[in-house]
Amino acid sequence: NMPRFPAPGETLFALERGLYPGGKGLNQAVAAARLGAHVTLLGRVAQDPFAGILMAAADAEGIDRSGVVVGATGETGLAVPIVVANGENAIFASPGANLEMTVDNLGPAERITTADIFLTQFETPLDVVTEAIHRASSAGVPVLLNPAPVRPFDIELLRSVDILVLNEVEAGMLAPGLADDEARARALLALGPQSIVLTLGPAGGVWARGETAARFDAPTVEAIDTVGAGDCFCAALAVRLVEGAELGEAVRFAAAAAAISVMRAGAAPSYPMRSTVDARLARK
């Protein structure tokens, strides 16, 4: 937690610091588990103390981590978020073992092909993500992709994606030159996914499916720490879709869960239980 972002060459004292379990995969797994889902986590860590912190966090949430490979070499992924007074953040990440994951590390195909939904992102190598998405899609398992951290990839992959969730920065890289949010959502939809959810922070966002596009609001809250809010949103969206909710309803639920998360410090530790989200929605 910093008073502001440092300028190049500047050293600032932090107001406070904390060591939290995280990473996009674990964040999404924890958020989904707290919202009532049975979660299987796939990934890779190294043999170091950070791996122990991550695995303990998964165990505490009842997450099945039998699909997490412990590599004999390398370092477990690590990120250093800087959070300033209004809750905004910048993150410096060292992926480590995340980028050492291989297709073989995905393990038996059944881990993916028997799931109710497959939720993934880009913190592992693109060939691994691509193979996992194709396994899910070929088995009729819905795929929710959050292409973050965003980087160049084969756009054809989006034809195997059911729900593409991305923020304004990521959307701008995939569909540049469009200032209108609904037009950008429709342009993204034309790339192949069945549905688009474009998140715009406190401004809410836009979802689009077929011929329908609609804006959604974000609950008004006092943001303390926005780190991991997007991961919470993706997990909550996946949970409600598995439960049979329509996309608009699922987006509303996800926005409420993410809003609660930014009112607390940390990523995974800030994620709400299902009862907390339901209670907030019931007040409206």
Side-chain angles (χ1 to χ4, degrees):
N1 191 328
M2 303 286 288
R4 56 180 171 79
F5 292 116
E10 181 183 19
T11 298
L12 286 178
F13 286 130
L15 300 176
E16 60 180 340
R17 68 178 187 181
L19 180 63
Y20 303 108
K24 299 189 74 64
L26 181 63
N27 286 347
Q28 293 170 356
V30 169
R34 290 189 179 181
L35 294 172
H38 174 74
V39 181
T40 298
L41 177 64
L42 306 181
R44 185 179 176 109
V45 295
Q47 295 181 3
D48 58 23
F50 292 119
I53 294 171
L54 301 184
M55 296 305 93
D59 291 342
E61 306 296 338
I63 294 167
D64 178 357
R65 59 176 177 86
S66 59
V68 177
V69 174
V70 180
T73 60
E75 299 176 333
T76 298
L78 178 70
V80 180
I82 292 179
V83 182
V84 295
N86 64 354
E88 291 183 349
N89 69 83
I91 301 175
F92 305 91
S94 174
N98 288 351
L99 293 186
E100 294 175 7
M101 191 174 181
T102 67
V103 169
D104 287 343
N105 291 158
L106 292 172
E110 291 76 17
R111 280 186 175 143
I112 294 173
T113 60
T114 59
D116 293 312
I117 194 167
F118 180 64
L119 169 59
T120 191
Q121 21 65 35
F122 279 175
E123 276 197 339
T124 52
L126 290 178
D127 64 324
V128 177
V129 176
T130 299
E131 173 62 21
I133 287 176
H134 286 159
R135 287 185 189 182
S137 179
S138 64
V141 175
V143 174
L144 193 161
L145 173 64
N146 174 217
V150 68
R151 47 196 167 120
F153 67 99
D154 185 353
I155 295 298
E156 283 296 310
L157 180 64
L158 297 182
R159 299 189 180 279
S160 298
V161 170
D162 294 86
I163 310 102
L164 181 68
V165 181
L166 64 182
N167 64 23
E168 194 169 14
V169 172
E170 295 148 6
M173 295 183 73
L174 293 180
L178 295 172
D180 181 77
D181 296 325
E182 290 192 25
R184 179 170 287 172
R186 292 186 185 281
L188 291 164
L189 201 60
L191 296 178
Q194 296 297 306
S195 304
I196 292 291
V197 181
L198 173 58
T199 61
L200 302 171
V206 175
W207 64 266
R209 183 177 180 87
E211 297 301 315
T212 303
R215 298 196 71 89
F216 64 90
D217 295 326
T220 302
V221 297
E222 183 178 351
I224 301 299
D225 183 348
T226 59
V227 175
D231 297 329
C232 184
F233 183 97
C234 290
L237 185 67
V239 169
R240 283 300 286 136
L241 290 173
V242 166
E243 293 173 346
E246 294 293 331
L247 183 58
E249 179 188 347
V251 163
R252 179 170 170 262
F253 179 85
I260 294 168
S261 78
V262 305
M263 299 167 67
R264 308 168 179 176
S270 74
Y271 297 153
M273 303 299 290
R274 179 61 176 263
S275 59
T276 305
V277 182
D278 287 342
R280 182 174 188 90
L281 289 171
R283 293 203 301 268
K284 293 191 174 183

